[in-house]
Amino acid sequence: MATGNRYLGLIDKYRDVLPVSDSTRLISIGEGNTPLIKLENIPALTGKNVDIYVKYEGLNPTGSFKDRGMTMAVTKAVEEGSKAIICASTGNTSASAAAYAARAGIKAFVLIPEGKIALGKLAQAMMHGAEIIQIKGNFDHGMQLVKEVAEHAPVTIVNSINPYRIQGQKTAAYEIVEALGKVPDYHCLPVGNAGNITAHWLGYTEMGKTSGEHPIMAGYQAAGAAPFLKGEMIDDPETVATAIRIGRPQSWDQAWAAQKESGGWFDLLSDEEILAAQKLLSEQEGIFCEPASAASVGGAIRDIKNGKIPEGSTIVCTLTGHGLKDPDTAISQCAINPKAIDASLDAVKAAILDKL
Ligand code: F0G
């Protein structure tokens, strides 16, 4: 039996490029090290010769990419003596903050928009014992409140305005280059608060310091929550992809820098396009991601078909969260057999033959 190779989380693996010392107590649940999966069926549907990989961040401990930044943010909060963390969230950050606070033995306060977070995320925040504060407002209102309250109470903000979040999340770029053995030509990802595109760009530019190599970054937003397409903040974001239902991204300038410096672009997808991409990945590749995540693949497919992403390209799409996060939206897209049949061999056989 192999011994001595236990994976101890991404801070342990990437400690050379992260702000920790040998004596830092690492708050880790084994995050990172997620698979980079080559799509086998979808590329052919584009009619073009391309390689598409998905970085399946839904396989992190709490089911989203947030764990990469959270392990770092909570590790530093604990190192600095903080007894409580706070965040505003569309769901995944709250689930991750709750889990890492539980692991560290500190308190988590999470502000979430009433009625607008997916069921799985709420279940996680509740199970991990976070103090859940539902607000009659959206993520942007919550973010503003968190910033104000942190000035008056001894709590550490763990949203991606916390620079340690970005540090932890940049490791996704390191893993991708390591797994591919090269820098991808294009990196597509969904954009909400814009921390993740900022973090990936940081990772790629750190790695490419001497070679100058980097991917072209493409950020995709939901049509009803697309401030980067509008060129200004918006007040009433709306989309079925509740994870990216954000009108006032905190990493606004950094995301524009990533787009400009990489030679990339922002674009938007309708809710229908987002859900179609989610279904396509599920049905064609056996990969279940949440709606917001599918914006990356939906956007990539469109830009491959229209030639913006040229033939011969190697493309990485980040799948930010697991499909099980949002069972309601998934089920509502699928036809459920209307009526039950008899529990008999004949009835089941007939049902099968009917479908073959
Ligand atoms: N995809 C998922 C599944 C998300 O949960 C988020 C953000 C994003 C994409 C966008 O990433 O904000 O770095 O541009 N979710 C945050 C939250 C806002 O509160 O969970 P971003």
Side-chain angles (χ1 to χ4, degrees), residues 139-215:
F139 170 85
D140 303 309
H141 301 128
M143 196 62 243
Q144 185 56 36
L145 288 164
V146 161
K147 287 200 273 189
E148 285 170 24
V149 84
E151 286 178 16
H152 301 284
V155 288
T156 303
I157 299 178
V158 293
N159 282 102
S160 55
I161 55 172
N162 178 327
Y164 298 126
R165 278 278 312 276
I166 303 295
Q167 287 292 321
Q169 279 172 219
K170 77 181 180 187
T171 59
Y174 281 80
E175 288 181 12
I176 288 164
V177 173
E178 210 174 291
L180 271 182
K182 63 174 183 179
V183 177
D185 301 313
Y186 292 85
H187 190 129
C188 304
L189 71 184
V191 173
N193 209 23
N196 211 23
I197 191 168
T198 299
H200 278 80
W201 185 239
L202 176 64
Y204 283 124
T205 48
E206 277 183 7
M207 278 182 289
K209 220 178 280 168
T210 43
S211 70
E213 280 183 280
H214 63 75

Side-chain angles (χ1 to χ4, degrees), residues 213-252:
E213 280 183 280
H214 63 75
I216 290 171
M217 305 296 289
Y220 297 98
Q221 300 213 280
F228 286 102
L229 277 300
K230 202 165 182 223
E232 61 185 23
M233 308 286 183
I234 61 167
D235 281 333
D236 295 303
E238 202 48 82
T239 169
V240 69
T242 52
I244 49 173
R245 188 173 168 270
I246 294 173
R248 300 181 164 272
Q250 295 296 310
S251 297
W252 179 257

